[in-house]
Amino acid sequence: MLVCVPDVLSKHDVADFRRIMDAEQWEDGRSTAGAQSAQVKQNEQLPPDSQTARKLGERIIKALTANLLFISAAVPLQIFPPLFNRYRPGQFFGEHVDNCIRGDNLTGLRIRTDISGTLFLSEPDEYDGGELVIDDYYGSHRVKLPAGHLVLYPSTSLHMVTPVTRGARISSFFWLQSMIKDTHARRMTFDMDNAIQSLVVRLGRNDEDVRKLTNIYHNLIRYWAEL
Ligand code: NI
């Protein structure tokens, strides 16, 4: 399931992120790649343990945890500290798998990667190419979103970033462990939450059937969630 979450960051925040990032030293992106992906990765990234990356990452996590669409789609247990990358002309990230387990040196946090997220920090007209291509059961999806918007996709998917041919593609990316491990179960709770939210608009939160469905929604989360 691919989910787009619009306006995680405001345009004002994006401009602030870009100003801070532009002043930093970038390093070869292969330092965080696994054995398979290192062979197909050509980009730059902010040093993951740098103060700048950590502070910007904390701002992203704060914005995410206040975003109801994100919470409903991801049901996050732990969010890995976000990373930041940049692709300039000729750079790309060929088809690869994300590591199933990730550990963080600084905090000791260790997660199972259930969901991957890319938060776009360049506007689509700032660069050519640089599309995120995600393969899932329903085929291949090409994603290029406005700055401040996020796409979530299962970490189980093969994916790639096509070569940039003009400008610079700047983004943040992260992984998270969901309380609901199973991607199909997570899809059902997300769909059900969306249906309940539109019923609430039509019938009000205290309608008897809305109340029953809300109870079932919570019981499904209770049934599937692992903390
Ligand atoms: Ni990846």
Side-chain angles (χ1 to χ4, degrees):
M1 171 177 72
L2 261 63
V3 179
C4 294
V5 185
D7 302 316
V8 170
L9 293 182
S10 67
K11 298 296 181 196
H12 179 269
D13 279 333
V14 169
D16 191 42
F17 271 58
R18 291 282 298 273
R19 184 183 55 74
I20 294 167
M21 293 163 76
D22 281 350
E24 286 299 308
Q25 293 285 338
W26 293 69
E27 66 176 25
D28 189 316
R30 277 173 291 197
S31 69
T32 54
Q36 184 269 328
S37 54
Q39 295 181 8
V40 291
K41 188 176 188 185
Q42 276 188 33
N43 66 5
E44 299 168 295
Q45 66 188 12
L46 287 185
D49 295 347
S50 66
Q51 265 206 359
T52 301
R54 294 289 162 148
K55 279 190 179 158
L56 294 178
E58 280 167 19
R59 284 172 66 180
I60 290 173
I61 290 176
K62 197 171 168 203
L64 290 173
T65 49
N67 189 302
L68 296 181
L69 180 59
F70 168 78
I71 298 290
S72 177
V75 198
L77 177 64
Q78 295 277 15
I79 304 172
F80 200 78
L83 302 167
F84 297 86
N85 63 16
R86 179 168 72 186
Y87 297 78
R88 296 207 272 201
Q91 295 187 314
F92 62 93
F93 198 165
E95 190 169 71
H96 66 279
V97 287
D98 287 348
N99 283 349
C100 49
I101 307 288
R102 288 211 84 101
D104 178 38
N105 297 333
L106 289 188
T107 59
L109 176 70
R110 195 165 58 149
I111 68 161
R112 179 189 64 231
T113 55
D114 295 324
I115 299 177
S116 302
T118 295
L119 175 64
F120 289 80
L121 295 170
S122 305
E123 296 294 353
D125 63 5
E126 288 183 74
Y127 60 101
D128 291 328
E131 289 163 315
L132 176 61
V133 182
I134 302 158
D135 287 339
D136 68 9
Y137 296 119
Y138 304 106
S140 188
H141 309 272
R142 303 177 86 84
V143 185
K144 190 171 187 174
L145 298 177
H149 293 213
L150 166 74
V151 61
L152 296 173
Y153 57 97
S155 302
T156 49
S157 327
L158 280 168
H159 53 276
M160 62 186 280
V161 176
T162 63
V164 166
T165 56
R166 175 189 67 87
R169 176 199 193 271
I170 296 164
S171 68
S172 174
F173 62 103
F174 58 88
W175 302 273
L176 65 88
Q177 180 169 333
S178 177
M179 293 184 205
I180 302 177
K181 177 182 179 179
D182 185 277
T183 184
H184 303 293
R186 209 163 50 234
R187 166 96 209 211
M188 285 188 274
T189 59
F190 181 57
D191 286 346
M192 190 169 187
D193 189 27
N194 285 330
I196 291 171
Q197 295 314 318
S198 51
L199 280 178
V200 165
V201 172
R202 276 158 46 200
L203 304 172
R205 198 167 289 284
N206 267 319
D207 175 85
E208 189 184 347
D209 292 323
V210 168
R211 210 159 49 227
K212 284 180 185 164
L213 285 171
T214 305
N215 190 39
I216 295 169
Y217 171 77
H218 281 269
N219 285 339
L220 285 176
I221 299 271
R222 196 172 275 122
Y223 184 71
W224 279 317
E226 296 167 63
L227 306 182

